[in-house]
Amino acid sequence: MSDIVTSVHDRGKSDLSSASWLNKVPAITATFWLIKILSTTIGETFADYLSVQVGLGTAVTDGAMMTLLAIALVAQLRARRLIPWLYWLTVVLVSIVGTQITDFFTDTLGVSLYVSTAVFAVVLAVVFTVWWRQERTLAITAIDTPRRERYYWGAILTTFALGTAGGDLATEALSLGFRNGALIFGGLILAVWAARRLGLNGVLAFWIAYVLTRPLGASLGDLLTQDRSFGGLGLGASLTSLVFLAVIVVLVAREQVNANRHGIRAKGEAPAVHPHRDYAWAAAGAVAVVAAAVALAPAPTPAAAAPAATTGTGKGAHVNPLEADPTSPIGDLRPFAVIVDDVATKAKKGDLTAATARVKDLEVAWDNGEAAMKPASPDDWHTMDSAIDGALTALRATPPTKAACVAALTNLQSTIGTLEKKQ
């Protein structure tokens, strides 16, 4: 990746005489790429944490993140120089909102991932075309005028949306899964690095790699957050977000200290920090993430205590429920059915407060299983997801009614039964 890191040069003429800015984007170093990947993972996990674990819901979470992005972006555009902490805060928020945009089209509007991927690719091509025609460069070493920075952030937001749609297309619609997705997208980034070594244009290599880091980060996030029974490490969205955010804060704080100490380097000037030291910091950050994941990952659940993750091929066998004895096209729905039956029993008794509290377990379990279950059969997953949303909406209405809650839960029970019969 070092050639992509160090060879993104301006292919056009920058009219620096008309602007008092230095470049508004950090140097493209190993640390830059590590923070970028970590921020994409947070884009995948943090919104889920707020929406599900905290209980804000999708609408409130989406509105809050878009508001925060608008505030951060205005501050970033008004700044006359690079402020590392503000820049990376904006990137993290763009990552979250870019994910939410794609999820809105896919999960709420029902737009096919093939369509959304193609649409975002066309939008990105339009942004690049207009940017090039007006500025004659797409290099991020030349983000030194207000107009160029506006094009830059428009492109960045689109790359996150495109990366989310493309990654979901590969891991869900094409059923590659998050583990294969991490290997595939990591391999594609290495291929871009190799192509750069063989002469691929540095600006083109950068933007291809930038798009690919989004699905790579999302796949890594799913690998860390998914339960061990689904092939993940079981850290959960909250712990994964906390670990990644902590590493980002440390690395960005280092960049901010260097910027305060040495100033922002103009294009063509030698870097203030030796590249070898930057690689050392990037390596330390990567090691910290891996060490935290290994240290904090919960111990595997004994097979005897997790009947949904075992098979009859051997006493105590512990396997992925999607790979053995599935009870539906998307895997074993029995653990979810147990919760739904419990919630329905409480609702039928009129204890809607207890039912609402219990349904939280269903929401968290369903969210935790999404990355592993959805690729198995996206259409069936959406059917089940819609029925769960109906139950959540009824129970969380202001105020909820017994009739509406019972009807929504009955529909959910029927959906589970239908899916189990399909297998």
Side-chain angles (χ1 to χ4, degrees):
M1 184 74 71
S2 60
D3 289 286
I4 299 177
V5 164
T6 58
S7 301
V8 184
H9 299 298
D10 185 9
R11 303 300 182 183
K13 295 182 179 180
S14 174
D15 185 12
L16 295 178
S17 61
S18 64
S20 60
W21 290 2
L22 294 175
N23 194 48
K24 292 284 292 293
V25 176
I28 311 306
T29 62
T31 299
F32 175 96
W33 287 111
L34 178 60
I35 298 175
K36 169 61 169 64
I37 292 173
L38 296 178
S39 69
T40 63
T41 301
I42 288 181
E44 184 75 9
T45 61
F46 189 65
D48 286 342
Y49 169 69
L50 292 178
S51 177
V52 179
Q53 275 78 10
V54 175
L56 296 182
T58 301
V60 173
T61 301
D62 289 357
M65 291 300 101
M66 290 181 183
T67 300
L68 289 175
L69 173 60
I71 294 171
L73 192 55
V74 168
Q76 169 67 23
L77 292 172
R78 288 174 64 88
R80 304 299 298 175
R81 61 184 180 85
L82 171 65
I83 303 173
W85 71 264
L86 179 58
Y87 172 86
W88 285 113
L89 173 62
T90 307
V91 169
V92 169
L93 291 171
V94 167
S95 173
I96 295 172
V97 171
T99 301
Q100 292 172 326
I101 290 173
T102 301
D103 289 346
F104 174 77
F105 279 104
T106 303
D107 298 334
T108 303
L109 300 182
V111 177
S112 166
L113 286 169
Y114 294 94
V115 173
S116 59
T117 300
V119 168
F120 288 133
V122 170
V123 172
L124 184 60
V126 170
V127 172
F128 281 151
T129 299
V130 177
W131 183 359
W132 172 260
R133 286 182 175 178
Q134 294 198 1
E135 301 295 334
R136 310 309 297 176
T137 178
L138 301 179
I140 67 166
T141 54
I143 309 302
D144 46 25
T145 69
R147 185 167 65 181
R148 287 182 178 181
E149 189 177 18
R150 288 193 293 270
Y151 282 129
Y152 171 76
W153 286 110
I156 292 300
L157 179 59
T158 309
T159 63
F160 274 104
L162 173 60
T164 302
D168 289 349
L169 175 63
T171 59
E172 295 174 11
L174 300 181
S175 300
L176 297 179
F178 57 85
R179 287 170 291 177
N180 290 334
L183 294 174
I184 290 171
F185 291 113
L188 289 174
I189 291 175
L190 289 177
V192 174
W193 171 80
R196 174 59 194 152
R197 294 293 296 269
L198 295 174
L200 179 66
N201 177 274
V203 175
L204 178 60
F206 169 83
W207 284 112
I208 293 175
Y210 201 93
V211 172
L212 291 173
T213 54
R214 172 60 188 82
L216 173 62
S219 296
L220 291 175
D222 289 335
L223 182 63
L224 292 171
T225 59
Q226 291 298 295
D227 188 85
R228 285 179 177 271
S229 63
F230 291 119
L233 292 180
L235 289 184
S238 57
L239 192 54
T240 299
S241 299
L242 181 62
V243 169
F244 278 39
L245 187 59
V247 175
I248 289 176
V249 167
V250 171
L251 294 177
V252 172
R254 167 186 169 271
E255 285 198 2
Q256 188 65 59
V257 169
N258 287 333
N260 294 341
R261 181 179 302 167
H262 303 290
I264 304 300
R265 316 302 284 182
K267 185 174 62 177
E269 286 187 312
V273 179
H274 194 280
H276 289 171
R277 183 175 298 178
D278 179 80
Y279 279 115
W281 273 90
V287 169
V289 169
V290 174
V294 172
L296 298 175
T301 303
T310 62
T311 72
T313 59
K315 185 177 180 180
H318 187 272
V319 297
N320 189 327
L322 300 181
E323 297 173 354
D325 194 28
T327 61
S328 81
I330 55 177
D332 194 343
L333 297 181
R334 288 172 294 181
F336 305 104
V338 170
I339 301 175
V340 173
D341 290 345
D342 188 25
V343 175
T345 298
K346 296 179 186 301
K348 289 175 181 178
K349 292 179 179 179
D351 192 352
L352 299 184
T353 300
T356 302
R358 177 63 167 138
V359 83
K360 177 73 173 181
D361 295 332
L362 173 65
E363 184 181 24
V364 173
W366 183 248
D367 184 70
N368 288 341
E370 176 181 351
M373 302 182 79
K374 192 174 181 180
S377 179
D379 289 340
D380 290 314
W381 184 91
H382 279 292
T383 298
M384 178 75 171
D385 186 61
S386 178
I388 291 176
D389 284 343
L392 292 173
T393 299
L395 285 163
R396 292 172 178 171
T398 308
T401 64
K402 178 180 177 180
C405 293
V406 170
L409 289 165
T410 300
N411 177 65
L412 178 53
Q413 290 172 317
S414 175
T415 300
I416 292 175
T418 300
L419 291 176
E420 288 178 335
K421 291 177 181 178
K422 290 184 66 174
Q423 186 59 25

mmCIF file of all heavy atoms in Angstrom, residues 351-388:
data_model
loop_
_atom_site.group_PDB
_atom_site.id
_atom_site.type_symbol
_atom_site.label_atom_id
_atom_site.label_comp_id
_atom_site.label_asym_id
_atom_site.label_seq_id
_atom_site.Cartn_x
_atom_site.Cartn_y
_atom_site.Cartn_z
ATOM 1 N N ASP A 351 -49.931 -7.321 29.661
ATOM 2 C CA ASP A 351 -48.742 -6.734 30.297
ATOM 3 C C ASP A 351 -47.820 -6.190 29.203
ATOM 4 O O ASP A 351 -46.781 -6.772 28.889
ATOM 5 C CB ASP A 351 -48.020 -7.791 31.137
ATOM 6 C CG ASP A 351 -46.955 -7.178 32.041
ATOM 7 O OD1 ASP A 351 -46.684 -5.960 31.894
ATOM 8 O OD2 ASP A 351 -46.379 -7.912 32.871
ATOM 9 N N LEU A 352 -48.231 -5.063 28.611
ATOM 10 C CA LEU A 352 -47.481 -4.517 27.479
ATOM 11 C C LEU A 352 -46.135 -3.937 27.908
ATOM 12 O O LEU A 352 -45.194 -3.893 27.103
ATOM 13 C CB LEU A 352 -48.317 -3.443 26.779
ATOM 14 C CG LEU A 352 -49.661 -3.924 26.195
ATOM 15 C CD1 LEU A 352 -50.339 -2.792 25.444
ATOM 16 C CD2 LEU A 352 -49.453 -5.131 25.290
ATOM 17 N N THR A 353 -46.020 -3.510 29.146
ATOM 18 C CA THR A 353 -44.733 -2.996 29.631
ATOM 19 C C THR A 353 -43.691 -4.106 29.640
ATOM 20 O O THR A 353 -42.561 -3.926 29.163
ATOM 21 C CB THR A 353 -44.886 -2.408 31.047
ATOM 22 O OG1 THR A 353 -45.820 -1.342 31.015
ATOM 23 C CG2 THR A 353 -43.537 -1.897 31.553
ATOM 24 N N ALA A 354 -44.055 -5.261 30.165
ATOM 25 C CA ALA A 354 -43.135 -6.407 30.189
ATOM 26 C C ALA A 354 -42.851 -6.903 28.773
ATOM 27 O O ALA A 354 -41.723 -7.296 28.450
ATOM 28 C CB ALA A 354 -43.714 -7.526 31.041
ATOM 29 N N ALA A 355 -43.882 -6.886 27.920
ATOM 30 C CA ALA A 355 -43.695 -7.330 26.532
ATOM 31 C C ALA A 355 -42.721 -6.419 25.799
ATOM 32 O O ALA A 355 -41.855 -6.880 25.046
ATOM 33 C CB ALA A 355 -45.041 -7.362 25.813
ATOM 34 N N THR A 356 -42.848 -5.126 26.024
ATOM 35 C CA THR A 356 -41.956 -4.160 25.372
ATOM 36 C C THR A 356 -40.522 -4.340 25.855
ATOM 37 O O THR A 356 -39.570 -4.238 25.070
ATOM 38 C CB THR A 356 -42.430 -2.729 25.657
ATOM 39 O OG1 THR A 356 -43.771 -2.576 25.186
ATOM 40 C CG2 THR A 356 -41.536 -1.713 24.973
ATOM 41 N N ALA A 357 -40.349 -4.593 27.137
ATOM 42 C CA ALA A 357 -39.008 -4.810 27.670
ATOM 43 C C ALA A 357 -38.400 -6.092 27.089
ATOM 44 O O ALA A 357 -37.224 -6.127 26.727
ATOM 45 C CB ALA A 357 -39.053 -4.890 29.190
ATOM 46 N N ARG A 358 -39.192 -7.139 27.000
ATOM 47 C CA ARG A 358 -38.697 -8.427 26.504
ATOM 48 C C ARG A 358 -38.373 -8.380 25.018
ATOM 49 O O ARG A 358 -37.421 -9.034 24.566
ATOM 50 C CB ARG A 358 -39.752 -9.501 26.769
ATOM 51 C CG ARG A 358 -39.416 -10.893 26.254
ATOM 52 C CD ARG A 358 -38.198 -11.472 26.900
ATOM 53 N NE ARG A 358 -38.077 -12.899 26.617
ATOM 54 C CZ ARG A 358 -36.940 -13.510 26.300
ATOM 55 N NH1 ARG A 358 -35.805 -12.808 26.230
ATOM 56 N NH2 ARG A 358 -36.918 -14.802 26.065
ATOM 57 N N VAL A 359 -39.129 -7.600 24.240
ATOM 58 C CA VAL A 359 -38.894 -7.569 22.804
ATOM 59 C C VAL A 359 -37.543 -6.956 22.463
ATOM 60 O O VAL A 359 -37.019 -7.143 21.357
ATOM 61 C CB VAL A 359 -40.039 -6.806 22.085
ATOM 62 C CG1 VAL A 359 -39.819 -5.286 22.118
ATOM 63 C CG2 VAL A 359 -40.172 -7.279 20.638
ATOM 64 N N LYS A 360 -36.946 -6.223 23.412
ATOM 65 C CA LYS A 360 -35.601 -5.683 23.212
ATOM 66 C C LYS A 360 -34.597 -6.803 22.947
ATOM 67 O O LYS A 360 -33.689 -6.667 22.127
ATOM 68 C CB LYS A 360 -35.196 -4.890 24.456
ATOM 69 C CG LYS A 360 -33.786 -4.321 24.410
ATOM 70 C CD LYS A 360 -33.714 -3.167 23.446
ATOM 71 C CE LYS A 360 -32.355 -2.491 23.527
ATOM 72 N NZ LYS A 360 -32.253 -1.347 22.616
ATOM 73 N N ASP A 361 -34.802 -7.948 23.640
ATOM 74 C CA ASP A 361 -33.912 -9.096 23.433
ATOM 75 C C ASP A 361 -34.015 -9.601 21.993
ATOM 76 O O ASP A 361 -33.010 -10.014 21.394
ATOM 77 C CB ASP A 361 -34.268 -10.222 24.400
ATOM 78 C CG ASP A 361 -34.032 -9.834 25.853
ATOM 79 O OD1 ASP A 361 -33.154 -8.993 26.098
ATOM 80 O OD2 ASP A 361 -34.739 -10.375 26.736
ATOM 81 N N LEU A 362 -35.231 -9.584 21.456
ATOM 82 C CA LEU A 362 -35.419 -10.003 20.065
ATOM 83 C C LEU A 362 -34.698 -9.049 19.123
ATOM 84 O O LEU A 362 -34.014 -9.479 18.177
ATOM 85 C CB LEU A 362 -36.908 -10.047 19.733
ATOM 86 C CG LEU A 362 -37.263 -10.314 18.265
ATOM 87 C CD1 LEU A 362 -36.815 -11.711 17.858
ATOM 88 C CD2 LEU A 362 -38.767 -10.134 18.042
ATOM 89 N N GLU A 363 -34.835 -7.755 19.360
ATOM 90 C CA GLU A 363 -34.217 -6.762 18.491
ATOM 91 C C GLU A 363 -32.699 -6.904 18.483
ATOM 92 O O GLU A 363 -32.065 -6.881 17.422
ATOM 93 C CB GLU A 363 -34.612 -5.361 18.948
ATOM 94 C CG GLU A 363 -34.101 -4.245 18.052
ATOM 95 C CD GLU A 363 -34.500 -2.881 18.542
ATOM 96 O OE1 GLU A 363 -34.759 -2.724 19.757
ATOM 97 O OE2 GLU A 363 -34.569 -1.954 17.717
ATOM 98 N N VAL A 364 -32.111 -7.064 19.652
ATOM 99 C CA VAL A 364 -30.653 -7.199 19.746
ATOM 100 C C VAL A 364 -30.181 -8.488 19.087
ATOM 101 O O VAL A 364 -29.216 -8.495 18.327
ATOM 102 C CB VAL A 364 -30.204 -7.146 21.222
ATOM 103 C CG1 VAL A 364 -28.712 -7.465 21.340
ATOM 104 C CG2 VAL A 364 -30.485 -5.771 21.815
ATOM 105 N N ALA A 365 -30.876 -9.607 19.367
ATOM 106 C CA ALA A 365 -30.477 -10.891 18.790
ATOM 107 C C ALA A 365 -30.588 -10.870 17.266
ATOM 108 O O ALA A 365 -29.718 -11.387 16.556
ATOM 109 C CB ALA A 365 -31.341 -12.007 19.369
ATOM 110 N N TRP A 366 -31.664 -10.266 16.765
ATOM 111 C CA TRP A 366 -31.863 -10.199 15.313
ATOM 112 C C TRP A 366 -30.787 -9.333 14.667
ATOM 113 O O TRP A 366 -30.248 -9.683 13.615
ATOM 114 C CB TRP A 366 -33.252 -9.660 15.018
ATOM 115 C CG TRP A 366 -33.599 -9.603 13.562
ATOM 116 C CD1 TRP A 366 -33.783 -8.488 12.798
ATOM 117 C CD2 TRP A 366 -33.789 -10.714 12.688
ATOM 118 N NE1 TRP A 366 -34.091 -8.837 11.513
ATOM 119 C CE2 TRP A 366 -34.095 -10.204 11.407
ATOM 120 C CE3 TRP A 366 -33.736 -12.098 12.868
ATOM 121 C CZ2 TRP A 366 -34.339 -11.019 10.318
ATOM 122 C CZ3 TRP A 366 -33.982 -12.922 11.774
ATOM 123 C CH2 TRP A 366 -34.274 -12.378 10.515
ATOM 124 N N ASP A 367 -30.477 -8.207 15.283
ATOM 125 C CA ASP A 367 -29.442 -7.335 14.747
ATOM 126 C C ASP A 367 -28.086 -8.027 14.767
ATOM 127 O O ASP A 367 -27.312 -7.918 13.813
ATOM 128 C CB ASP A 367 -29.384 -6.049 15.570
ATOM 129 C CG ASP A 367 -28.387 -5.047 15.006
ATOM 130 O OD1 ASP A 367 -28.664 -4.490 13.929
ATOM 131 O OD2 ASP A 367 -27.338 -4.833 15.651
ATOM 132 N N ASN A 368 -27.809 -8.769 15.826
ATOM 133 C CA ASN A 368 -26.520 -9.462 15.929
ATOM 134 C C ASN A 368 -26.374 -10.556 14.884
ATOM 135 O O ASN A 368 -25.258 -10.876 14.461
ATOM 136 C CB ASN A 368 -26.348 -10.069 17.323
ATOM 137 C CG ASN A 368 -26.096 -9.020 18.386
ATOM 138 O OD1 ASN A 368 -25.708 -7.901 18.086
ATOM 139 N ND2 ASN A 368 -26.339 -9.371 19.644
ATOM 140 N N GLY A 369 -27.483 -11.137 14.471
ATOM 141 C CA GLY A 369 -27.405 -12.225 13.499
ATOM 142 C C GLY A 369 -27.500 -11.796 12.054
ATOM 143 O O GLY A 369 -27.382 -12.627 11.155
ATOM 144 N N GLU A 370 -27.707 -10.498 11.811
ATOM 145 C CA GLU A 370 -27.978 -10.027 10.452
ATOM 146 C C GLU A 370 -26.881 -10.401 9.452
ATOM 147 O O GLU A 370 -27.156 -10.940 8.378
ATOM 148 C CB GLU A 370 -28.173 -8.509 10.448
ATOM 149 C CG GLU A 370 -28.370 -7.944 9.048
ATOM 150 C CD GLU A 370 -28.544 -6.441 9.044
ATOM 151 O OE1 GLU A 370 -28.688 -5.856 10.147
ATOM 152 O OE2 GLU A 370 -28.532 -5.854 7.958
ATOM 153 N N ALA A 371 -25.631 -10.101 9.799
ATOM 154 C CA ALA A 371 -24.544 -10.294 8.832
ATOM 155 C C ALA A 371 -24.380 -11.749 8.431
ATOM 156 O O ALA A 371 -23.945 -12.047 7.315
ATOM 157 C CB ALA A 371 -23.236 -9.756 9.411
ATOM 158 N N ALA A 372 -24.717 -12.673 9.329
ATOM 159 C CA ALA A 372 -24.581 -14.087 9.010
ATOM 160 C C ALA A 372 -25.829 -14.660 8.348
ATOM 161 O O ALA A 372 -25.738 -15.536 7.494
ATOM 162 C CB ALA A 372 -24.270 -14.874 10.286
ATOM 163 N N MET A 373 -27.003 -14.162 8.717
ATOM 164 C CA MET A 373 -28.245 -14.743 8.229
ATOM 165 C C MET A 373 -28.720 -14.136 6.913
ATOM 166 O O MET A 373 -29.257 -14.842 6.055
ATOM 167 C CB MET A 373 -29.344 -14.580 9.278
ATOM 168 C CG MET A 373 -29.012 -15.199 10.625
ATOM 169 S SD MET A 373 -30.340 -15.039 11.849
ATOM 170 C CE MET A 373 -31.434 -16.353 11.304
ATOM 171 N N LYS A 374 -28.527 -12.843 6.741
ATOM 172 C CA LYS A 374 -29.056 -12.157 5.562
ATOM 173 C C LYS A 374 -28.501 -12.696 4.251
ATOM 174 O O LYS A 374 -29.255 -12.859 3.278
ATOM 175 C CB LYS A 374 -28.790 -10.657 5.681
ATOM 176 C CG LYS A 374 -29.531 -9.809 4.668
ATOM 177 C CD LYS A 374 -29.317 -8.328 4.958
ATOM 178 C CE LYS A 374 -30.064 -7.433 3.994
ATOM 179 N NZ LYS A 374 -29.843 -5.998 4.297
ATOM 180 N N PRO A 375 -27.175 -12.991 4.150
ATOM 181 C CA PRO A 375 -26.661 -13.500 2.875
ATOM 182 C C PRO A 375 -27.271 -14.833 2.452
ATOM 183 O O PRO A 375 -27.287 -15.148 1.265
ATOM 184 C CB PRO A 375 -25.154 -13.643 3.134
ATOM 185 C CG PRO A 375 -24.867 -12.694 4.248
ATOM 186 C CD PRO A 375 -26.099 -12.732 5.108
ATOM 187 N N ALA A 376 -27.763 -15.624 3.422
ATOM 188 C CA ALA A 376 -28.305 -16.933 3.076
ATOM 189 C C ALA A 376 -29.532 -16.825 2.175
ATOM 190 O O ALA A 376 -29.729 -17.646 1.273
ATOM 191 C CB ALA A 376 -28.653 -17.707 4.358
ATOM 192 N N SER A 377 -30.362 -15.817 2.419
ATOM 193 C CA SER A 377 -31.549 -15.587 1.586
ATOM 194 C C SER A 377 -32.068 -14.185 1.869
ATOM 195 O O SER A 377 -32.914 -14.002 2.746
ATOM 196 C CB SER A 377 -32.640 -16.627 1.885
ATOM 197 O OG SER A 377 -33.791 -16.383 1.091
ATOM 198 N N PRO A 378 -31.549 -13.179 1.170
ATOM 199 C CA PRO A 378 -31.919 -11.786 1.463
ATOM 200 C C PRO A 378 -33.418 -11.527 1.438
ATOM 201 O O PRO A 378 -33.937 -10.793 2.284
ATOM 202 C CB PRO A 378 -31.195 -11.003 0.360
ATOM 203 C CG PRO A 378 -30.022 -11.850 0.005
ATOM 204 C CD PRO A 378 -30.519 -13.265 0.121
ATOM 205 N N ASP A 379 -34.153 -12.133 0.495
ATOM 206 C CA ASP A 379 -35.591 -11.889 0.408
ATOM 207 C C ASP A 379 -36.311 -12.409 1.653
ATOM 208 O O ASP A 379 -37.185 -11.727 2.219
ATOM 209 C CB ASP A 379 -36.168 -12.543 -0.846
ATOM 210 C CG ASP A 379 -35.736 -11.834 -2.120
ATOM 211 O OD1 ASP A 379 -35.322 -10.660 -2.031
ATOM 212 O OD2 ASP A 379 -35.799 -12.457 -3.195
ATOM 213 N N ASP A 380 -35.942 -13.613 2.081
ATOM 214 C CA ASP A 380 -36.574 -14.172 3.279
ATOM 215 C C ASP A 380 -36.168 -13.386 4.526
ATOM 216 O O ASP A 380 -36.980 -13.218 5.446
ATOM 217 C CB ASP A 380 -36.204 -15.646 3.440
ATOM 218 C CG ASP A 380 -36.860 -16.520 2.376
ATOM 219 O OD1 ASP A 380 -38.069 -16.348 2.140
ATOM 220 O OD2 ASP A 380 -36.166 -17.350 1.771
ATOM 221 N N TRP A 381 -34.937 -12.931 4.545
ATOM 222 C CA TRP A 381 -34.492 -12.122 5.686
ATOM 223 C C TRP A 381 -35.323 -10.844 5.774
ATOM 224 O O TRP A 381 -35.745 -10.447 6.858
ATOM 225 C CB TRP A 381 -33.012 -11.788 5.558
ATOM 226 C CG TRP A 381 -32.472 -11.038 6.745
ATOM 227 C CD1 TRP A 381 -31.905 -11.563 7.862
ATOM 228 C CD2 TRP A 381 -32.478 -9.611 6.934
ATOM 229 N NE1 TRP A 381 -31.550 -10.563 8.746
ATOM 230 C CE2 TRP A 381 -31.897 -9.361 8.197
ATOM 231 C CE3 TRP A 381 -32.912 -8.544 6.165
ATOM 232 C CZ2 TRP A 381 -31.745 -8.069 8.703
ATOM 233 C CZ3 TRP A 381 -32.768 -7.255 6.671
ATOM 234 C CH2 TRP A 381 -32.191 -7.024 7.923
ATOM 235 N N HIS A 382 -35.537 -10.193 4.652
ATOM 236 C CA HIS A 382 -36.328 -8.959 4.651
ATOM 237 C C HIS A 382 -37.775 -9.231 5.076
ATOM 238 O O HIS A 382 -38.399 -8.395 5.740
ATOM 239 C CB HIS A 382 -36.297 -8.311 3.273
ATOM 240 C CG HIS A 382 -35.060 -7.512 3.000
ATOM 241 N ND1 HIS A 382 -34.761 -6.343 3.663
ATOM 242 C CD2 HIS A 382 -34.028 -7.725 2.143
ATOM 243 C CE1 HIS A 382 -33.608 -5.863 3.239
ATOM 244 N NE2 HIS A 382 -33.147 -6.674 2.326
ATOM 245 N N THR A 383 -38.318 -10.392 4.702
ATOM 246 C CA THR A 383 -39.664 -10.749 5.131
ATOM 247 C C THR A 383 -39.738 -10.837 6.650
ATOM 248 O O THR A 383 -40.645 -10.285 7.290
ATOM 249 C CB THR A 383 -40.084 -12.090 4.508
ATOM 250 O OG1 THR A 383 -40.104 -11.970 3.076
ATOM 251 C CG2 THR A 383 -41.473 -12.506 4.993
ATOM 252 N N MET A 384 -38.761 -11.526 7.236
ATOM 253 C CA MET A 384 -38.709 -11.658 8.688
ATOM 254 C C MET A 384 -38.433 -10.305 9.344
ATOM 255 O O MET A 384 -39.054 -9.942 10.353
ATOM 256 C CB MET A 384 -37.603 -12.658 9.053
ATOM 257 C CG MET A 384 -37.396 -12.854 10.530
ATOM 258 S SD MET A 384 -38.672 -13.850 11.318
ATOM 259 C CE MET A 384 -37.919 -14.055 12.946
ATOM 260 N N ASP A 385 -37.547 -9.532 8.756
ATOM 261 C CA ASP A 385 -37.189 -8.226 9.314
ATOM 262 C C ASP A 385 -38.400 -7.292 9.324
ATOM 263 O O ASP A 385 -38.616 -6.553 10.292
ATOM 264 C CB ASP A 385 -36.056 -7.616 8.482
ATOM 265 C CG ASP A 385 -35.517 -6.330 9.082
ATOM 266 O OD1 ASP A 385 -35.018 -6.362 10.226
ATOM 267 O OD2 ASP A 385 -35.596 -5.288 8.412
ATOM 268 N N SER A 386 -39.189 -7.341 8.264
ATOM 269 C CA SER A 386 -40.381 -6.505 8.190
ATOM 270 C C SER A 386 -41.392 -6.888 9.275
ATOM 271 O O SER A 386 -42.017 -6.024 9.903
ATOM 272 C CB SER A 386 -41.021 -6.634 6.809
ATOM 273 O OG SER A 386 -42.198 -5.875 6.714
ATOM 274 N N ALA A 387 -41.543 -8.189 9.502
ATOM 275 C CA ALA A 387 -42.473 -8.645 10.537
ATOM 276 C C ALA A 387 -41.997 -8.230 11.931
ATOM 277 O O ALA A 387 -42.802 -7.846 12.786
ATOM 278 C CB ALA A 387 -42.640 -10.163 10.457
ATOM 279 N N ILE A 388 -40.680 -8.287 12.155
ATOM 280 C CA ILE A 388 -40.132 -7.851 13.442
ATOM 281 C C ILE A 388 -40.331 -6.353 13.621
ATOM 282 O O ILE A 388 -40.708 -5.883 14.704
ATOM 283 C CB ILE A 388 -38.637 -8.221 13.538
ATOM 284 C CG1 ILE A 388 -38.477 -9.741 13.652
ATOM 285 C CG2 ILE A 388 -37.980 -7.533 14.739
ATOM 286 C CD1 ILE A 388 -37.033 -10.210 13.656
#
